[in-house]
Amino acid sequence: MKTNINSIFTTGFEAESLSYDYSASIECLAHPEKPLYNGGIIQNPQLNDGLQGWTTFGEAKIEHRESLGNKFLVAHSRKQPYDSVSQKIYLRKGLHYTLSAWIRTTEENVAVTALVKTSKAYKFGGAIYAHSNCWSMLKGGLIADATEEAHLYFESNKTSVEIWIDNISLQPFTKKQWMSHQRQSIEKARKRKVEIEVVDEQGNPLSNASISVTLNRGGFPFGCSMNKNILNNKGYQDWFASRFTVTTFENEMKWYTNEYEQGKENYNDVDGMVQFAKNHNIDVRGHNIIWDDPKYQPKFVYSLPQNQLYPAVSKRVNSIVQRYKGQVIGWDVVNENMHFSYFENKLGNDFTPKIFSQVHDIDPPTTLFLNEYNTIEDSRDGASSPPKYLQKIKEIQGYNKNIPLGIGLEAHFPNGSPNLPYMRASIDALAATGLPIWITEIDVESQNNQVGYFEQVLREAHSHPMVKGIVTWTGWNPQGCYKMCLVDNNFNNLPAGDVVDKLLREWGNTKLTTRTDQNGFFETSLFHGNYELEITHPTKKNYTLTHKVHVHSKDESKKTRQLIKLSI
């Protein structure tokens, strides 16, 4: 492997085969772990060479310290948030940079942010809540807009604290490498090698047998939001059912829809949509039980006195969860609760974990999601950053550790090119919880290259090994969709629809036809899912063997191959 050191803009990466490290730590450790990628382009990443490569940023004082054999850097005597420590780096336009560092502070639960100062902007790299008695891992990333000199530094609004920094890494990847990571991850996480052996009645191998492989249902849940327009529109039904295996109802399950007037409940549309989904083997995500945004409450809720509010909420929870328990694969329980706090302000800070616990009591096996936006899509929003999200998870688990929690990431991407390194690193951090992660409402703001960005984020989401399902927020409406439409009013594909169909074909929805070799074998790599095989052979005229196969992820024996023996 070779490293390019001939340019002042040192790349710091080696061969196209350099793998991405999906690991992240959410534990606060007594000693920081080694820097990822040996520090990448960072000089003196482990601080073994004193202050070499590091300088003061702002008016902080910096010093090199050692404790229990570990050497690290300290920024102290800080007066401004940006008073810190910095290293000069060289960015190359278009490269994807993954960033990590281990942080400690002299007070508890202090927000520390990594930033890169370029000639034109301050680029957010990542953030963490640091502690005084252990080290926390910050993981993030950015894409370079230009080839130029820049400065990496760390800041905290709490100027009274010292910021301790160790084992820093900034690793660049080309776009080609980034896409290679996606392909490698898909091969490992979404597919399995399948070996098919075809023999005759006596068990002798049949060479030159024709095998046709058709995917009936993909193993990875991929879907689209829907609304009540589907109930009486055959074109909408046919288009939807031929593509998707999971859905979320846009508004039909929301409280303001189901109980427009207090005491008068209406679930007619929901019942019809649930039945449509059942008839077509489409899973349903329950969205949502309570929405914490003050703008989206039933009108009668605003006038309820405090002593009547919780009973009304509790009645709502019981009503919808009892009605649809066992019929949904997950519930969005208290929606967007990290940005809004309508009910907490009125009923106390423990409102959210209480409602999660109540839903769990009614529907024990179903996964309950904390559904939020801007956790992976917009690094500028600190309200729901990965560290904040992790804190909220701990709060709910602290109230009731038996709740089967899920991580719901809406993924409404704003204007501008998506920050894929930040998206990937954020999912890495959340994945360290071991909880199932779903991309629940993915779309992209209207802009130039909207459809191109849509494809980028769909590919990134699908390729992450810990993402368990994707729902796009692109439900058709004759009056227009939320941010983007997949089809026109005649259910002909628009450009975004072409992207979805192209990806579905790539992810297994393509008929494969091949022949066995001289030993009667055929080997391929198939996406997880349910397949139908059709096998014919010249010696078995007018006869076709049909066989159904379920390609699953590696079983407990850890076998990487799935062997299927068929007799014709």
Side-chain angles (χ1 to χ4, degrees), residues 352-353 356 370 392-400 403 405:
T352 296
F356 269 85
L370 181 64
K392 195 72 176 183
I393 288 286
K394 288 180 180 177
E395 178 187 322
I396 297 168
Q397 289 175 326
Y399 188 88
N400 185 341
I403 295 173
L405 286 176

Side-chain angles (χ1 to χ4, degrees), residues 254-325:
K254 292 171 181 172
W255 191 6
Y256 60 71
T257 302
N258 304 144
E259 194 177 7
Y260 187 76
E261 293 183 47
Q262 189 171 14
K264 295 182 179 179
E265 293 181 336
N266 186 337
Y267 290 105
N268 291 338
D269 289 337
V270 188
D271 289 345
M273 293 165 73
V274 167
Q275 190 59 53
F276 167 80
K278 284 181 182 175
N279 292 345
H280 294 88
N281 200 22
I282 297 168
D283 293 327
V284 176
R285 296 188 70 257
H287 176 79
N288 55 53
I289 299 172
I290 299 294
W291 198 350
D292 232 347
D293 190 333
K295 296 198 300 289
Y296 298 112
Q297 307 306 324
K299 289 183 179 178
F300 70 85
V301 165
Y302 299 115
S303 59
L304 290 176
Q306 189 162 346
N307 65 344
Q308 294 179 27
L309 181 58
Y310 192 82
V313 170
S314 185
K315 178 176 176 289
R316 154 65 178 176
V317 173
N318 275 294
S319 174
I320 192 167
V321 180
Q322 286 283 6
R323 189 178 187 94
Y324 298 109
K325 68 178 182 179

Side-chain angles (χ1 to χ4, degrees), residues 481-493:
C481 309
Y482 177 62
K483 295 289 184 184
M484 56 195 312
C485 287
L486 301 183
V487 290
D488 61 21
N489 286 352
N490 295 313
F491 300 99
N492 297 312
N493 269 7

Side-chain angles (χ1 to χ4, degrees), residues 126 134 342 433:
C134 53
Y342 180 80
T433 62

